[in-house]
């Protein structure tokens, strides 16, 4: 009887951790895409100082998320997103605002693709 209870508890813990990881991963990528859209809106409105601040905050925020995401779901895109945010930051500092808008689209696409690749779906499992 004790082994059955232990097995059930372990299965429950594994399921809870898996569900928590999926929720965290999906929210992180959704939040990243949202932050990129906000930066893109700032760039379109020519509010470059605010866009610069937002990208700096986004880079710090992603650095924290990246550490957890790399531990739970190793994927090269998670690493590449940080590089892309750095390039976005560089294009804003270089006042290449059209390129900055393009970079926000790239980051949003990478976030969506990574989320779809890392999600537990039948097509990803087979």
């Amino acid at each position: 009887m004790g082994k059955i209870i232990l097995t059930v508890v372990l299965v429950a813990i594994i399921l809870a951790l898996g569900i928590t990881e999926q929720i965290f991963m999906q929210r992180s990528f959704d939040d990243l895409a949202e932050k990129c859209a906000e930066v893109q809106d700032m760039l379109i409105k020519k509010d470059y100082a605010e866009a610069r601040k937002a990208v700096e905050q986004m880079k710090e925020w992603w650095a924290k998320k990246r550490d957890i995401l790399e531990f739970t779901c190793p994927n090269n895109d998670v690493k590449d997103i940080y590089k892309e945010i750095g390039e976005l930051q560089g294009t804003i500092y270089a006042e290449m605002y059209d390129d900055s808008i393009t970079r926000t689209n790239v980051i949003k696409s990478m976030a969506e693709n990574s989320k779809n690749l890392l999600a537990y779906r039948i097509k990803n499992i087979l």
Side-chain angles (χ1 to χ4, degrees):
M1 185 68 173
K3 290 181 181 180
I4 293 173
I5 293 173
L6 179 63
T7 303
V8 170
V9 168
L10 289 176
V11 168
I13 290 171
I14 290 169
L15 282 173
L17 289 173
I19 291 168
T20 302
E21 180 266 334
Q22 284 292 299
I23 291 169
F24 177 80
M25 181 266 304
Q26 291 189 14
R27 283 187 183 163
S28 296
F29 287 120
D30 288 341
D31 290 347
L32 177 63
E34 186 178 307
K35 288 176 186 291
C36 281
E38 291 170 2
V39 170
Q40 190 175 50
D41 288 342
M42 291 174 197
L43 292 168
I44 291 169
K45 293 176 184 174
K46 300 183 191 251
D47 191 359
Y48 303 128
E50 285 299 314
R52 184 176 291 146
K53 289 178 192 175
V55 170
E56 288 173 9
Q57 292 171 351
M58 180 171 52
K59 189 173 182 182
E60 291 172 12
W61 171 83
W62 185 252
K64 294 174 187 172
K65 296 288 184 178
R66 181 186 70 166
D67 290 340
I68 297 169
L69 287 169
E70 286 178 349
F71 177 72
T72 60
C73 50
N75 185 340
N76 287 336
D77 285 346
V78 173
K79 296 173 185 173
D80 290 342
I81 288 172
Y82 191 72
K83 179 184 72 87
E84 288 292 333
I85 294 171
E87 289 182 14
L88 170 61
Q89 190 176 30
T91 57
I92 290 174
Y93 279 114
E95 298 179 358
M96 300 166 57
Y97 301 119
D98 290 339
D99 290 342
S100 299
I101 293 171
T102 302
R103 290 278 171 215
T104 59
N105 286 328
V106 168
I107 296 168
K108 285 191 293 187
S109 295
M110 289 177 78
E112 189 63 33
N113 288 337
S114 294
K115 182 177 90 169
N116 289 335
L117 280 172
L118 297 171
Y120 283 119
R121 295 189 176 134
I122 295 297
K123 67 179 184 177
N124 294 345
I125 294 171
L126 298 177

